[in-house]
Each structure stands twice: as structure tokens, then as C-alpha cells.
Amino acid sequence: MNALARLTGFAKGALGFGNAQSAPTPRSSTGYMKGEINPFFMSWGPALRDARDDVRLAWAPATARTIDAIHNSGWLSGAIDQVVASTVGKGMRLNAKPDYDALGWTAVEASAWAKTVERQWEAWAGSPLECDAAGRMTIAQMTAAGLRSYFATGEIVATLPWVKRSVSRTRTKVGLIQSHRLAQDTIGTNLFQGVFMDSLGMPIGYRFREQMVPITPYNGLTGIATDVAARDSAGRPMVIHVFDGEAHQVRGLTPLAPALKVMRQYDQLADATLTAAMIQAIFAATLQSEAPTEQVLRALQTDGEQAATPNVNGPSGAGSDPSIMDLFAARDAWYQNTKIDLGNAGKIAHLFPGEQLKFNRSEHPNSTYEAFAKFLLRECARCLGITFEDFTGDYSGASYASINNATSIVWRVVEYRRAHILTPFLQPIFDAWLEEQIDSGTVKFPGGLTAFIAQRSAVTRADWFGPGKPQSDLLKVAKAYETLQSSGVISDAMICSDLGTNVDDVYDARAKEMAKRKELGLPEPNAPPPDPILNDRSDNDSTKGDA
């Protein structure tokens, strides 16, 4: 067989053609995951599904467990309070930024219109009777409640009903809804986990359960279903559904789901450690003996207690092995004259030969408890997106540099949540409110409601600001801002944004203060003090001129 024939035959055998038999394919020993021969991979075979299917299967149990953990864990409850305070604070402030180029306005006209809108929004958002369907909460309080709902369920759900009331001037209201009231119904491709979608996956409606009837755990709620459109015919939002997730995901999932097992482990560690410490505290002394428990306990009793306690073996030791009765009788006679009294200080008891009285001391928590407990809490803090120090309130061993670096990293998480969780919640509210204000004529807009609907996205353009970034050393921060501003790489607006304020508000306040100081004859804060020598010279010069 020549070389070509051999090559042809090999090729046919390798491909399974002809009469040649294919050689068995050896198992790969290279590549990712070591060819699956690693023992840690053998029992690890998760299913590969779409993100929305994973969420649908895990939503109910994960949500129920997270809510229970928040209700019963001081760590989680306090940490969420900390996150809400850092992210929302007193409330997210509106900074209206209409696209004046698209609207054909000048920058001055847009600024004046935006200030009017911001002032009226602040009045409406601060009045529960105006903004809340239940008449209890302000927009700031609802924003905080929405963020808490996001941590508990992974979602913020609200409706924007049109309600006419004699006690309120406006009709646009916000109704917060608990996420579990959004139905879990899935029918075909158009209704998935309570959300109606078009062929491209855009939400067009939602199904809610009005009459709540709780059923078995983790299975949600059942009752009368009510379907609500996502928007009305004019494009006005009617339902707010906010979550953070992956492509094609329909519902959100609590961000605390990865930390549920860790929090459970921490609780079990704390409970077991406390139980062991209490047992050792209660049983402060033990008597090591090969004798039956009854014989030893009688030695620990007083004469009165021994007389009141019947001897089950009888005077002759009936019921016991006669071969050891002599030993028990000798031990009993020994303890008739030797009492072990732990209540008398300084008393020394001589025990029967071979027995030992041991005084216990608590060995819990042991030396490894704190390190392991902190390890578990660090994972929970990382899942929440806050520093370990903020999560626990323990700043021991932390330096200024470490705290400043950790705060800078975590601050990006705060900004992300404001942009992708809180802004999508507040923006539809602002959209619906502004539509009503323009329709009623409270807010003047060229072209009225028709022009607003046609240019909705350009008119409702806005930013939302929360509390400023926490600073551990304001003097160093101020010097850094001064250096950056003198270099021309940062503006007043950027500094104000970092500090959680609006640059226009700062300018207006400074102008009012300058006018007031000028009226009262007060010097400017940064003005140099008057030079008495120059003042004397000016006075002398004026006198000479007059002469």
C-alpha cells in the first residue's frame, strides 16, 4: 500500500466511511473545567435556561425568604436602612433639563421654564394628599419604600391612577403596590409571570391580583385578576414596573438572593455558639465518675434532699448487679461523711478514689469565631453593595485611606442604583404629572397638550439628584476641588452634583446673601480685611485735596 492509499484509508476510517472502523475518541484531558473529571464538578450540573425562566422558578421562594430574613435580622434591616439613607436621603431632587434645541427655545427660556416646573413639582411631591393615592406618603417616602421593595423582591411596582378628590387640586396620583400582587400567571408567549408583552417583548399590560387569598408557601397569591394597560392611548404611563436584570428578563429578583444561605449560616453559627456558652455557664462543675448517675447525684445532695429522694435499689441494692454492690456500698458510705457543697466558699471535699470534680469555664465563642463571623458578614455586605464598616458599624482596624477607597468604590454602586432603579421609578411619575399640569394650564407650554404629547421625550428630559458623596476629610476634598477647578477640568455644576446640591440653587442663594450683606454693610467672606495704613493715606489725601 502506497502512501496515498494509506492516507486515503486513514481518512475514510477517521470519517467513518468505507470498511475501516473508527477509533474510539479519547476523553479530553485539556480545556476548561479539566474535562469534567474534577470531583467538584461531578455532582454539579445546573440547568441552562433563559434568565426569565430562572427568575420565574426562584421568585416566590427567594422573595419569601428574603422578606423573612429582613424582618428577623438586625444586620440586614440596619444595612438596608443605611443604603436607603445613602441613596435616597431626604429625597431625590428634580433637575429639569428640557432639550431646548429640539423645542426651538433659547437656553435662557429653557432655564426659566425649568425653574418654574421644579418649584411646582416640589410643592406637589411634598404633599401626600396631592401625590399619594392613599394620601399618606410624599414622593420622597415612596422612593424610599420603593428602594426597600427592590431589596426585598427585586422590583418596584406602582400605578398612576387618575383620581378626583375634593381635598386635592391635582388628579395624578401614585399608588405603590407590593410586588407579590403582580400575578405569577404564564400563558403562552403573550403573558409571562403577570406581564403582557407584544411580539418584541415590550410590556403592554400587567395582571394584578385584587382579592388576596394566601395559599401554600412560595406559591404566591390567588384571587380576582385585574388587567391594567401599561400606557393609555396618548402614551401616558399607567403602570411603573422597575427591576434590574439581564436581556429578555421579564421580572426582577431580589439582589439578596445570593446571600440568603450566608445569612442563614451566620444565624446558625450565632445560635450554636450562644447555646454552647449557656450550657457551659449553667453546668459550671461536672463530676467525672464511672458510678451510676444516681449515686453521684446523691453525693451532691444535702441530708434533707437525700432523705426525700427514694433509693430505687433498696437497702440491699436490689435490682443492681450484686458483684458491684460492695463497691457501691463502700462509695455510699464514703459520701455519707464527705459532702460536695459547691455553695460553701473555700470548702475542700475529698472524693472517692478514681473520681474527679471539674470546674468548667466557657470556651465559646472560641478564638476562630470572630474571624469566621466577619467573613460571613463581609459576603453579605458585598452583596448589598456597601462597605463592611457600614454594614456592621465596626471601624476597628480601618484607616483613613482604606475607608476613603472603599467609599469611592461603593459610591459607584449608589450612582448605578440611582440611575437604573430610582430614576426609572421617578421619571414616569414626573411624565404623568407634567402632562396634567400642561393640560390644566398650570405650567405654560407653547402649543399646549398636543405639542407636549408630540415632543414628550424632549420636554420631560431631567436628572435626579440625591445626597452627596460622603467625605471623611472635607479639608482634603475642598483642596482637591480647588486644584481641579483652577486647572479647568471641573465645573461648579460638577462640584455641586458631588455635594448633592443644584448649582442654580447655590447661585441664587449666594446672590441673595451677597445682596443682604451689602445692605447691612457686611464684608464678603473671602474679601481681604481693610488695610488701616491705606485707609489713613486715603483720608490724608482727601484732606489735602480739600485744603
Side-chain angles (χ1 to χ4, degrees), residues 401-412:
S402 64
I403 293 177
N404 189 46
N405 185 51
T407 302
S408 298
I409 295 175
V410 169
W411 183 248
R412 302 303 179 191

Side-chain angles (χ1 to χ4, degrees), residues 212-231:
M212 297 294 100
V213 181
I215 55 178
T216 58
Y218 306 153
N219 288 336
L221 300 165
T222 185
I224 301 175
T226 301
D227 297 338
V228 181
R231 292 180 177 270

Side-chain angles (χ1 to χ4, degrees), residues 97-290:
K97 298 175 60 178
D99 188 349
Y100 56 87
D101 286 336
L103 298 174
W105 297 353
T106 65
V108 176
E109 291 173 339
S111 178
W113 185 85
K115 286 184 178 180
T116 301
V117 170
E118 291 169 4
R119 184 170 59 253
Q120 296 190 14
W121 163 267
E122 185 175 353
W124 178 82
S127 174
L129 291 177
E130 294 289 345
C131 64
D132 186 10
R136 296 189 181 96
M137 304 171 72
T138 64
I139 292 296
Q141 292 173 312
M142 285 189 276
T143 304
L147 186 56
R148 294 179 188 277
S149 174
Y150 165 74
F151 281 111
T153 68
E155 300 174 312
I156 304 177
V157 182
T159 58
L160 294 170
W162 183 266
V163 182
K164 182 180 179 180
R165 288 176 179 160
S166 60
V167 294
S168 59
R169 180 179 58 85
T170 58
R171 300 185 181 184
T172 300
K173 301 292 184 287
V174 181
L176 282 178
I177 297 179
Q178 296 185 44
S179 300
H180 66 267
R181 291 187 60 182
L182 188 56
Q184 298 293 320
D185 300 355
T186 298
I187 303 176
T189 59
N190 295 329
L191 176 62
F192 190 90
Q193 210 173 353
V195 181
F196 292 94
M197 297 173 292
D198 62 12
S199 59
L200 297 178
M202 177 181 175
I204 58 177
Y206 298 87
R207 174 168 293 179
F208 296 96
R209 295 293 180 181
E210 293 296 330
Q211 184 178 349
M212 297 294 100
V213 181
I215 55 178
T216 58
Y218 306 153
N219 288 336
L221 300 165
T222 185
I224 301 175
T226 301
D227 297 338
V228 181
R231 292 180 177 270
D232 64 10
S233 58
R236 182 180 188 272
M238 298 180 65
V239 177
I240 301 173
H241 183 213
V242 180
F243 63 90
D244 189 21
E246 302 178 16
H248 303 294
Q249 191 170 323
V250 179
R251 297 284 300 271
L253 187 67
T254 169
L256 296 177
L260 289 176
K261 185 182 73 171
V262 180
M263 284 305 305
R264 196 70 171 174
Q265 290 172 338
Y266 178 85
D267 290 341
Q268 291 179 345
L269 174 65
D271 291 343
T273 303
L274 179 60
T275 301
M278 292 181 64
I279 290 176
Q280 290 185 346
I282 295 172
F283 295 94
T286 56
L287 182 60
Q288 297 179 356
S289 174
E290 297 178 357

Side-chain angles (χ1 to χ4, degrees), residues 31-66:
Y32 295 106
M33 296 182 288
K34 302 298 182 183
E36 296 289 344
I37 62 175
N38 192 308
F40 294 103
F41 290 151
M42 290 180 179
S43 60
W44 186 14
L48 184 60
R49 296 183 292 259
D50 287 344
R52 67 177 192 170
D53 293 320
D54 281 334
V55 171
R56 181 174 62 89
L57 294 174
W59 195 92
T63 300
R65 289 166 179 164
T66 302

Side-chain angles (χ1 to χ4, degrees), residues 372-413:
F372 187 66
K374 286 185 176 181
F375 173 79
L376 296 176
L377 294 179
R378 286 183 188 279
E379 183 172 349
C380 296
R382 194 70 184 95
C383 187
L384 272 169
I386 61 177
T387 65
F388 170 78
E389 290 77 14
D390 284 341
F391 185 76
T392 62
D394 181 10
Y395 289 84
S396 60
S399 63
Y400 165 78
S402 64
I403 293 177
N404 189 46
N405 185 51
T407 302
S408 298
I409 295 175
V410 169
W411 183 248
R412 302 303 179 191
V413 180

